[in-house]
Amino acid sequence: MELRAELLKSIWHAFTSLDVGESGKVSKSQLKVLSHNLCTALCIAHDKQALELHFRDDDDGPVSSQGYMPYLNMYILDKAVEGTFKKEEVDRLCWTLCSTKNYRPERHGSNAVSKNDAFHLWCLFNLLSEDRYPLVLVPEEVEYLIKKICSATNMELNCVDIEDFISQNDMQGGVNVWAFLDLMNSGIVIRGVDRETITMAIEEVYGEIVGNTLKEGYLWKKGHLRRNWTERWFSLKVSTLAYYISEDRRECKGIIDLDQNCCVEVLPDREGKRCMFCVKTLSKTYEMSAPDTKQKQEWTTAIQTAIRLRVEGKTSLHQELKLRRRDQREERERRRMAKEEELHRLRLLQDEREQRLAELELLQEAQRKSQATLEQEEQRRRQHHEQMHRALQEQLQEAEEARANMQVEMAVKEAETERQRRRIRELEAMQLQLEEALQLEIRARQDEEACRKTQARLLAEEEEKMKALLTLQEEQEDYILRTQREKQELRQEMESKSMSLEEAQLQLEKVRASRHRVDQDIAAAQRKLRQASTSVKHWNIQMNRLMHPIGPGERRSSIGGTPTPATRVPSLRDSGLGLSQKRTEKENGGGESVSDSRPVESSDASSKDTGLPVETSNGSLESAD
């Protein structure tokens, strides 16, 4: 819970820096960027749609810090696991967002602290600030933090200047972080100190308060194996005491775990070492030597404090000191209020007493006046009526009786005054009881209000879940109706396709039958074509012989080896020409045919086109294929 509270302080600064108009609200797009960066710094998975789903019932306007807080707790902080991330990275992210808008060190010139020192001061402010928003640092905590920084620089603190700065800026109720940084940059606190010294002091205070480092410094340590003395840099935290080769802490030589089984003992001087003490654990005993007695006392006290905090289950000394200082401030405030009430009551009693005394003085004055009147009357009566001496004596006796009665009455009034005082004390006690009862009633009402808010939130969540359930039910019904319609359509489509398939099968049967008939017709045509080809071949041979009769000389030349000129084989298209030539020969009485003067072309192409055999020059037949 302490870690979550510290994270919320840093995130609050980042949220308010995004609030440009200072209206207390930030746009959803900026919150998406902030949430994504926070998830990255906290090493958790970021759900991009979670923000829209969380605020789906809201309008498109900005979101306030109260509306963003449930989303931040549910989707980010509840998923963060301590030890899996570095809090300094989250602080660095939030500091980068808020310092860009609010931090203006250039107003103070060369006295301004560095950017990293300002970040450390910002972290110290968040740790020491009150757990209420907006975050402020009470003047006592401001003075405490500045005293720590001044003591680290060995500089004396001027409290008068700080009080003047706070009173001039009307910060008696508390100082915000930017006013605190202005105070550190103004030169009032760190007047005449160079920036390197300031940086070292701020880092030392930062490591002590934020880093939970109780004490650091050089000590002589005795080895376990070689038993020699070596100077080491020791760093004490709540649960561990680590020692390094040097103060840069680059190489750790060992860590001593501090728990309820550890203790610290002071040792006498020996082996040339003084101011010795040891830390005992269950397994080992670590012997150390401090530079002086003061350092030995500080180290032993700090180690005992660390062991006590570990046993009590506390993780930070300064958190405990902060709570203790807060309790002391509250106690001083209660005492001041009680003192003021006591003074007010005493003033009331004093006023009442003065009023009583005034009444008594008035009574005494009236008594003196009446006595003077009686004396005057007595003189007058003595002078003018001496006969009335007896009557005057009686009147004097009556006056004495009246005085006695008046004294009795005064005693009665004194008793009444005492009763009134007792009544006032009773009323004051009753007022205290009424105030306690009022506080109890206020706490009960606050608890009731918290219960009401929890109930309202649960009702809202239940309503959201009911809406989601109704939406899912409607979607399921729509899906069922669509499924039924699609099923009906598929059934109809299957019936139509089955009918089309039957028709296609019938058509296929018809096509097969027609194909069978066509195949038969093709086979008959092929037989006729073969017969026609044989007849044409025969007539071509006859026509060739008739058109070119063979003489005896040509036969001899053929026998002698002289090649016979190639003859043109007439094709089917030339069959009509051959018949007409034969008919002409018959009309001429069997005479010689008139030779054609044109050259005879080869009929290879024609024979290839028709697929018929071709007669070569030697009288043999060759297939065109």
Side-chain angles (χ1 to χ4, degrees):
M1 294 301 293
E2 292 181 0
L3 179 61
R4 173 172 290 198
E6 296 302 323
L7 289 175
L8 283 176
K9 289 181 180 180
S10 300
I11 296 172
W12 178 82
H13 283 293
F15 184 90
T16 53
S17 67
L18 297 177
D19 183 12
V20 180
E22 297 183 356
S23 60
K25 295 184 178 181
V26 177
S27 64
K28 291 183 182 178
S29 60
Q30 291 176 322
L31 290 181
K32 285 182 180 179
V33 177
L34 175 61
S35 302
H36 181 75
N37 291 328
L38 287 176
C39 290
T40 303
L42 293 171
C43 299
I44 60 177
H46 176 57
D47 189 357
K48 297 181 180 179
Q49 302 298 327
L51 187 67
E52 291 294 339
L53 293 176
H54 185 74
F55 295 106
R56 63 178 180 270
D57 295 334
D58 296 343
D59 54 8
D60 296 332
V63 178
S64 64
S65 59
Q66 291 83 5
Y68 182 64
M69 187 60 66
Y71 168 80
L72 181 65
N73 287 323
M74 184 183 303
Y75 293 97
I76 297 179
L77 295 182
D78 287 346
K79 297 180 181 179
V81 180
E82 185 176 359
T84 60
F85 63 92
K86 293 182 179 180
K87 182 180 178 298
E88 186 176 358
E89 294 182 0
V90 181
D91 293 338
R92 184 75 67 176
L93 167 65
C94 298
W95 161 254
T96 303
L97 291 175
C98 64
S99 63
T100 305
K101 174 185 176 183
N102 300 303
Y103 184 52
R104 296 291 181 270
E106 61 272 5
R107 294 180 299 182
H108 302 282
S110 61
N111 291 328
V113 297
S114 64
K115 192 84 173 191
N116 192 49
D117 293 342
F119 167 68
H120 288 164
L121 291 173
W122 181 79
C123 294
L124 290 169
F125 177 91
N126 290 339
L127 183 64
L128 297 178
S129 61
E130 298 297 313
D131 296 334
R132 60 177 183 270
Y133 297 91
L135 294 175
V136 294
L137 198 64
V138 296
E140 291 83 357
E141 293 293 332
V142 174
E143 184 178 353
Y144 169 77
L145 180 56
I146 294 176
K147 279 183 178 178
K148 295 287 289 184
I149 296 173
C150 291
S151 64
T153 58
N154 296 323
M155 185 180 65
E156 185 178 356
L157 176 64
N158 190 356
C159 299
V160 177
D161 294 338
I162 298 175
E163 292 176 358
D164 292 341
F165 180 85
I166 293 174
S167 60
Q168 289 174 4
N169 293 275
D170 193 15
M171 299 175 182
Q172 297 297 329
V175 181
N176 61 23
V177 64
W178 311 118
F180 174 69
L181 292 177
D182 287 341
L183 172 62
M184 295 301 297
N185 287 323
S186 62
I188 297 175
V189 178
I190 52 177
R191 186 183 295 115
V193 182
D194 58 333
R195 293 186 66 174
E196 184 177 356
T197 305
I198 296 170
T199 300
M200 293 176 61
I202 292 175
E203 288 181 354
E204 179 180 349
V205 177
Y206 176 81
E208 178 182 351
I209 297 178
V210 179
N212 291 325
T213 302
L214 301 182
K215 188 171 178 58
E216 286 184 331
Y218 279 105
L219 292 174
W220 289 90
K221 175 185 172 296
K222 189 173 183 179
H224 291 283
L225 298 177
R226 298 175 61 185
R227 307 303 291 171
N228 58 337
W229 290 90
T230 309
E231 191 175 22
R232 301 295 185 199
W233 176 266
F234 282 79
S235 178
L236 175 64
K237 293 189 176 183
V238 174
S239 59
T240 59
L241 176 61
Y243 51 94
Y244 306 84
I245 290 180
S246 60
E247 57 183 314
D248 57 7
R249 293 185 294 184
R250 293 182 179 178
E251 184 178 355
C252 180
K253 301 299 291 182
I255 297 176
I256 305 172
D257 291 328
L258 303 177
D259 53 17
Q260 65 273 12
N261 298 317
C262 299
C263 65
V264 182
E265 292 184 2
V266 178
L267 300 177
D269 298 343
R270 66 173 183 269
E271 299 179 6
K273 295 294 180 181
R274 51 190 298 272
C275 304
M276 294 177 60
F277 63 95
C278 67
V279 178
K280 291 185 178 181
T281 63
L282 290 176
S283 58
K284 292 182 181 180
T285 299
Y286 299 87
E287 297 183 9
M288 285 160 277
S289 173
D292 51 33
T293 306
K294 180 181 178 183
Q295 288 291 324
K296 181 184 73 172
Q297 183 64 31
E298 291 178 357
W299 274 105
T300 54
T301 304
I303 295 172
Q304 289 173 354
T305 303
I307 296 172
R308 177 181 61 82
L309 293 174
R310 179 66 180 274
V311 172
E312 294 176 358
K314 297 178 181 178
T315 59
S316 175
L317 174 63
H318 287 276
Q319 284 287 350
E320 182 184 9
L321 296 177
K322 173 187 171 183
L323 296 176
R324 191 179 300 172
R325 291 194 300 273
R326 182 187 300 172
D327 294 339
Q328 290 175 357
R329 287 197 301 274
E330 292 176 355
E331 182 66 24
R332 286 198 300 270
E333 185 67 19
R334 286 194 296 269
R335 290 178 181 177
R336 187 182 63 81
M337 294 296 294
K339 188 176 181 180
E340 290 180 356
E341 292 177 358
E342 184 69 22
L343 291 174
H344 180 66
R345 188 171 66 253
L346 289 175
R347 282 195 295 270
L348 291 177
L349 291 174
Q350 186 68 22
D351 294 339
E352 185 178 359
R353 182 179 178 184
E354 290 177 355
Q355 185 178 0
R356 296 289 184 182
L357 291 174
E359 291 178 358
L360 289 174
E361 288 179 357
L362 290 175
L363 290 175
Q364 290 176 359
E365 185 66 24
Q367 185 179 2
R368 286 194 297 271
K369 287 182 179 180
S370 64
Q371 188 175 1
T373 303
L374 287 174
E375 289 177 355
Q376 290 176 3
E377 190 68 26
E378 186 179 0
Q379 257 181 359
R380 193 167 52 250
R381 286 177 182 180
R382 279 179 187 174
Q383 292 175 359
H384 298 288
H385 302 286
E386 296 205 3
Q387 306 89 326
M388 300 295 296
H389 181 69
R390 187 179 298 172
L392 288 174
Q393 291 292 334
E394 293 176 358
Q395 290 179 0
L396 287 173
Q397 290 177 358
E398 290 176 359
E400 290 293 336
E401 291 176 359
R403 183 184 297 177
N405 291 332
M406 191 175 296
Q407 290 178 353
V408 172
E409 189 175 342
M410 288 177 63
V412 171
K413 288 184 177 181
E414 286 290 340
E416 183 67 24
T417 302
E418 187 64 28
R419 285 196 300 274
Q420 291 292 335
R421 291 176 182 172
R422 287 196 300 272
R423 180 61 178 170
I424 288 170
R425 287 193 292 271
E426 292 175 357
L427 289 174
E428 290 173 353
M430 188 179 296
Q431 183 180 2
L432 292 175
Q433 294 176 359
L434 288 174
E435 288 178 354
E436 293 177 356
L438 181 60
Q439 292 295 330
L440 292 174
E441 183 178 0
I442 290 172
R443 285 196 292 272
R445 288 184 178 180
Q446 290 176 353
D447 295 339
E448 183 182 359
E449 186 67 22
C451 293
R452 287 180 179 176
K453 289 182 179 178
T454 306
Q455 185 179 6
R457 179 173 58 78
L458 293 175
L459 289 175
E461 292 179 356
E462 183 179 0
E463 186 177 356
E464 291 178 359
K465 292 181 179 178
M466 185 62 70
K467 289 180 180 179
L469 181 61
L470 292 175
T471 304
L472 291 174
Q473 186 175 1
E474 292 175 357
E475 292 178 355
Q476 186 176 7
E477 292 176 356
D478 294 340
Y479 180 72
I480 291 172
L481 292 175
R482 287 198 303 271
T483 306
Q484 291 177 354
R485 286 197 296 270
E486 291 176 358
K487 186 177 180 181
Q488 187 70 22
E489 292 174 357
L490 288 173
R491 186 181 293 111
Q492 294 176 359
E493 186 177 357
M494 289 176 64
E495 291 177 357
S496 62
K497 286 185 177 181
S498 62
M499 293 175 65
S500 300
L501 182 61
E502 292 176 358
E503 293 177 358
Q505 289 177 353
L506 292 175
Q507 292 178 2
L508 181 61
E509 292 295 332
K510 292 178 180 180
V511 169
R512 286 177 178 173
S514 61
R515 180 181 176 184
H516 181 67
R517 289 193 298 271
V518 169
D519 290 340
Q520 291 177 356
D521 294 341
I522 290 172
Q526 286 177 355
R527 287 195 301 272
K528 291 179 181 180
L529 182 60
R530 285 193 297 272
Q531 294 174 3
S533 297
T534 306
S535 177
V536 167
K537 180 174 69 174
H538 174 73
W539 284 108
N540 282 335
I541 295 171
Q542 295 296 329
M543 285 174 66
N544 191 19
R545 289 177 179 176
L546 289 174
M547 291 174 67
H548 299 283
I550 302 173
E554 292 175 357
R555 187 185 294 259
R556 285 194 300 272
S557 63
S558 175
I559 295 171
T562 304
T564 304
T567 58
R568 177 177 177 270
V569 181
S571 63
L572 292 176
R573 291 177 294 179
D574 298 335
S575 61
L577 179 60
L579 292 176
S580 62
Q581 288 178 356
K582 185 176 181 181
R583 215 185 287 105
T584 303
E585 289 177 357
K586 286 180 179 181
E587 290 175 357
N588 292 333
E592 293 179 0
S593 61
V594 181
S595 62
D596 193 355
S597 62
R598 293 176 298 179
V600 179
E601 295 175 358
S602 175
S603 61
D604 293 338
S606 299
S607 64
K608 287 179 182 179
D609 293 336
T610 57
L612 299 177
V614 180
E615 183 179 5
T616 60
S617 59
N618 57 6
S620 64
L621 296 175
E622 291 180 1
S623 175
D625 298 331

